[in-house]
């Protein structure tokens, strides 16, 4: 059975795509079959996994419009077991195109039902907006993972997202869960980061993942090489953090019980030696 998670926060630049790509590779390296669906017209998850949207003839937009079958647009990545339903240029106008369609909130759910059995996890990288693409993601998902940037205004806007989740649960997807909040871009040297972490845990308790994602130069560099952190810089702090997040997700998903594992070596077809940082 496949577990579908929306990675969502309408705030821009909080680490949604970084989390989608690197949680996906962390899960794939632990023998999970994973599909990343790029629902953001910016196409960052696609380029971060080696497929720039300019090179994609047909992607998830064409699937949602009923022009393509999901299986026909899914692409492999450098990591075994990690696949991508990419963004194409058509995703840019899709929001508007979907408005007049029947059952417009359910297109992604219907599409994923056709391929979900082939995957243990499906991660939906949402755009920075509470729009029809995000509503499609929340309607198709079993849970939401919310990346929260450890900065002063971190929780601002979160109530809007939580209200949207509640509204979707009420009318479109009663089983939708809040899987967890992941603190991103944490700089352990600043008081601000630990203040935000403490405050978030006070408000949301166990909903916050134990692991926090550090601000790490390698995480910022990896997308420009079209690679997840686990192949780009497997020894980095960022790689370890996303490995640990994958552990926690496996535990929350009920796939695994108990303690964390040691990070496995990444397998890559492209040789690139990178210093750990
Ligand atoms: N832990 C990190 N350490 C260093 N850089 C990071 C980290 N997480 C994300 N970044 C960088 O910060 C920027 C924003 O991250 P990302 O694209 O993942 O956010 P996003 O929420 O998907 O943005 P958008 O709302 O535009 O889709 C990117 O340049 C990314 O490489
Ligand atoms: Mg993004």
């Amino acid at each position: 059975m496949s577990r579908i998670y929306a990675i969502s926060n309408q705030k821009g630049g909080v680490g949604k795509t970084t989390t989608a790509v690197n949680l996906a590779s962390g899960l794939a390296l632990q023998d999970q079959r994973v599909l990343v669906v790029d629902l953001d017209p910016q196409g960052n998850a696609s380029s971060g996994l080696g497929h720039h949207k300019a090179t994609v003839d047909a992607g998830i937009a064409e699937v949602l419009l009923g022009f393509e079958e999901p299986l026909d647009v899914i692409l492999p990545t450098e990591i075994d077991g990690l696949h991508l339903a990419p963004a194409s240029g058509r995703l840019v106008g899709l929001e508007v195109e979907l408005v007049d369609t029947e059952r417009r909130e359910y297109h992604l759910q219907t599409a994923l039902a056709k391929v979900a059995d082939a995957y243990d996890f499906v991660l939906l990288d949402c755009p920075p907006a509470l729009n029809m693409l995000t509503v499609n993601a929340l309607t198709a998902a079993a849970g939401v993972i919310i990346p929260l940037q450890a900065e002063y205004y971190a929780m601002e806007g979160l109530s809007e997202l939580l209200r949207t989740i509640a509204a979707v649960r009420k009318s479109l997807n009663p089983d939708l869960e809040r899987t967890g909040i992941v603190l991103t871009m944490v700089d352990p040297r600043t008081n601000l980061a630990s203040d935000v972490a403490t405050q978030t845990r006070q408000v949301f308790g166990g909903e916050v993942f134990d692991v926090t994602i550090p601000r790490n130069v390698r995480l910022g560099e990896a997308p420009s090489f079209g690679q997840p952190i686990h192949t780009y810089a497997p020894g980095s702090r960022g790689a370890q953090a996303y490995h640990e997040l994958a552990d926690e997700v496996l535990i929350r998903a009920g796939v695994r019980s108990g303690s964390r594992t040691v990070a496995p070596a990444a397998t890559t077809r492209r040789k690139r030696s990178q210093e750990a940082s």
Side-chain angles (χ1 to χ4, degrees):
M1 188 191 70
S2 162
R3 290 162 181 85
I4 303 175
Y5 295 123
I7 317 286
S8 189
N9 186 338
Q10 79 278 16
K11 209 164 181 182
V14 296
K16 293 181 288 294
T17 302
T18 305
T19 297
V21 165
N22 296 309
L23 172 59
S25 70
L27 289 167
L29 290 170
Q30 297 193 52
D31 297 327
Q32 305 297 310
R33 299 163 302 164
V34 188
L35 175 67
V36 171
V37 181
D38 190 349
L39 290 172
D40 186 350
Q42 297 177 104
N44 295 340
S46 302
S47 53
L49 286 169
H51 296 282
H52 195 278
K53 70 174 183 173
T55 66
V56 172
D57 292 332
I60 192 65
E62 286 76 4
V63 171
L64 296 181
L65 290 166
F67 302 153
E68 296 281 347
E69 286 301 314
L71 261 183
D72 294 333
V73 306
I74 289 173
L75 300 168
T77 72
E78 288 211 355
I79 294 200
D80 287 337
L82 172 51
H83 293 171
L84 169 73
S88 64
R90 187 136 195 176
L91 200 53
V92 175
L94 187 69
E95 247 262 298
V96 178
E97 286 189 84
L98 285 183
V99 166
D100 288 332
T101 60
E102 249 179 76
R103 288 174 58 80
R104 58 189 180 176
E105 299 92 349
Y106 293 95
H107 294 300
L108 184 62
Q109 187 186 69
T110 305
L112 289 180
K114 296 181 183 172
V115 292
D117 279 350
Y119 298 98
D120 300 303
F121 288 90
V122 179
L123 302 184
L124 311 173
D125 185 30
C126 292
L130 296 173
N131 61 15
M132 192 45 62
L133 290 170
T134 298
V135 169
N136 263 264
L138 297 177
T139 304
V144 192
I145 293 174
I146 305 172
L148 200 68
Q149 189 178 347
E151 53 156 29
Y152 191 64
Y153 294 114
M155 280 194 269
E156 204 173 78
L158 200 54
S159 56
E160 215 180 319
L161 173 60
L162 299 183
R163 267 202 305 279
T164 303
I165 293 170
V168 168
R169 197 184 283 147
K170 205 165 172 190
S171 57
L172 299 164
N173 180 9
D175 298 329
L176 181 64
E177 288 177 356
R178 277 163 34 186
T179 304
I181 295 172
V182 56
L183 288 161
T184 62
M185 297 183 235
V186 173
D187 185 346
R189 292 164 305 184
T190 66
N191 289 336
L192 177 63
S194 60
D195 287 353
V196 172
T198 306
Q199 203 189 348
T200 310
R201 289 185 203 286
Q202 270 166 4
V203 176
F204 292 101
E207 236 181 280
V208 185
F209 286 102
D210 289 342
V211 65
T212 58
I213 309 299
R215 190 173 277 286
N216 177 248
V217 174
R218 298 299 192 201
L219 281 171
E221 290 170 353
S224 54
F225 293 91
Q227 290 186 56
I229 194 67
H230 298 105
T231 52
Y232 176 69
S236 64
R237 287 186 304 126
Q240 180 61 31
Y242 276 108
H243 178 72
E244 289 177 18
L245 182 63
D247 274 341
E248 280 195 59
V249 167
L250 286 168
I251 291 167
R252 287 192 188 198
V255 174
R256 184 189 300 151
S257 59
S259 58
R260 293 173 184 165
T261 57
V262 173
T267 50
T268 177
R269 288 175 211 130
R270 198 194 298 167
K271 289 256 181 281
R272 188 186 299 276
S273 65
Q274 291 287 342
E275 258 178 57
S277 68

